[in-house]
């Protein structure tokens, strides 16, 4: 069974988010974040951490986080083993797309995190090293749900808040699950696929689509990931 959601506006739920991707965006969360320290759930620093791979650019979410607190290890099959550390994006500046195109990547959760954490891909990245960074992103997690969100500077807003879907695998007893993610940008719409099944379709105007594409990986995770692949539709 496929769960398909059509979003006709620019966002279903728009609000500032001071937490990570796995924090709900509502008044209660915003109020709690205002009084809780940013390091109440500290980033682990993996042994041998040294940042994103050579030739790639990375960026963390908050000023008190360090990109050096992530570790990428190249695996024999061309994937990376990634251990975090902070939420971050990783990309090559030349991985850009416009018009009609498809971005895909495969990510695999290798161990159970201490609490649900997410990973996925982003598109439409602009000004990624500046204060006015902007991109749209598509995330999944081992609890069997997905998220579509826009980052605009320091703020984020939901296009689709965490939505459970039978197409998004739940992690097994060892914490493992694999996700082939695909974002298909068409003239008027954007489709989001997990393991070949469409989980959501939104209006193209709902999120940025012109710019850099890359991967986004959450906090204190152990995953395997491919770099993004971009195909022209």
């Amino acid at each position: 069974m496929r769960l398909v959601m059509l979003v006709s506006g620019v966002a279903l739920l728009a609000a500032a988010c001071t937490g990570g991707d796995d924090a709900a965006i509502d008044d209660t969360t915003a109020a709690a974040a205002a009084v809780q320290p940013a390091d109440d759930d500290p980033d682990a620093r993996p042994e041998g951490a040294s940042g994103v791979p050579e030739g790639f650019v990375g960026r963390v979410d908050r000023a008190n986080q360090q990109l050096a607190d992530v570790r990428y290890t190249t695996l024999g099959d061309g994937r990376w083993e990634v251990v975090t550390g902070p939420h971050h994006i990783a990309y090559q500046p030349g991985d850009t797309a416009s018009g009609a195109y498809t971005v895909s990547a495969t990510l695999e959760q290798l161990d159970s995190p201490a609490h649900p954490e997410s990973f996925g891909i982003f598109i439409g990245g602009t000004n990624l090293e500046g204060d006015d960074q902007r991109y749209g992103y598509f995330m999944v997690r081992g609890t069997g749900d997905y998220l579509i969100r826009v980052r605009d500077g320091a703020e984020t807003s939901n296009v689709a808040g965490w939505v459970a879907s039978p197409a998004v695998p739940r992690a097994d007893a060892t914490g493992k699950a694999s996700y082939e993610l695909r974002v298909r940008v068409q003239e008027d719409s954007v489709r989001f696929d997990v393991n070949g099944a469409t989980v959501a379709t939104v209006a193209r105007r709902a999120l940025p689509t012109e710019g850099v594409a890359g991967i986004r990986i959450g906090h204190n995770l152990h995953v395997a990931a491919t770099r993004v692949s971009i195909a022209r539709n």
Side-chain angles (χ1 to χ4, degrees):
M1 182 178 73
R2 292 184 176 182
L3 174 64
V4 180
M5 177 173 53
L6 177 64
V7 180
S8 58
V10 296
L12 283 178
L13 299 173
C17 178
T18 56
D21 293 326
D22 300 284
I25 295 183
D26 57 31
D27 292 339
T28 302
T29 299
V35 298
Q36 292 176 352
D39 60 354
D40 59 349
D41 184 19
D43 298 330
R45 190 177 198 279
E47 183 178 353
S50 60
V52 298
E54 184 177 357
F56 284 74
V57 179
R59 178 166 182 168
V60 294
D61 283 3
R62 300 195 304 259
N64 67 337
Q65 295 176 318
Q66 301 292 327
L67 187 61
D69 290 344
V70 302
R71 185 183 76 209
Y72 280 71
T73 304
T74 301
L75 301 174
D77 57 5
R79 298 179 301 160
W80 296 302
E81 178 187 16
V82 186
V83 185
T84 60
H87 295 82
H88 69 282
I89 58 172
Y91 60 94
Q92 283 195 316
D95 283 342
T96 62
S98 60
Y101 63 88
T102 298
V103 173
S104 58
T106 299
L107 296 99
E108 180 183 1
Q109 183 172 286
L110 300 177
D111 289 307
S112 295
H115 51 79
E117 291 289 349
S118 56
F119 40 88
I121 58 182
F122 74 88
I123 64 169
T126 55
N127 302 318
L128 293 179
E129 298 183 62
D131 292 339
D132 54 349
Q133 63 172 324
R134 181 170 166 80
Y135 57 87
Y137 56 110
F138 177 41
M139 307 290 281
V140 293
R141 59 187 181 182
T143 47
D145 40 3
Y146 69 88
L147 169 78
I148 304 168
R149 186 172 281 182
V150 174
R151 174 169 291 278
D152 194 350
E155 297 185 346
T156 62
S157 58
N158 282 349
V159 176
W162 284 111
V163 180
S165 170
V168 181
R170 297 180 67 88
D172 65 18
T174 67
K176 291 183 171 61
S178 184
Y179 307 87
E180 181 184 353
L181 304 182
R182 184 176 294 114
V183 179
R184 292 184 281 175
V185 179
Q186 304 293 334
E187 181 179 355
D188 297 317
S189 65
V190 184
R191 295 177 62 179
F192 299 86
D193 297 348
V194 180
N195 294 347
T198 298
V199 297
T201 301
V202 307
R204 182 165 178 158
R205 64 181 179 274
L207 72 166
T209 58
E210 309 280 310
V212 175
I215 60 173
R216 178 173 172 83
I217 300 178
H219 154 87
N220 292 349
L221 276 168
H222 181 200
V223 301
T226 66
R227 63 172 292 177
V228 296
S229 174
I230 302 172
R232 312 298 167 180
N233 294 347

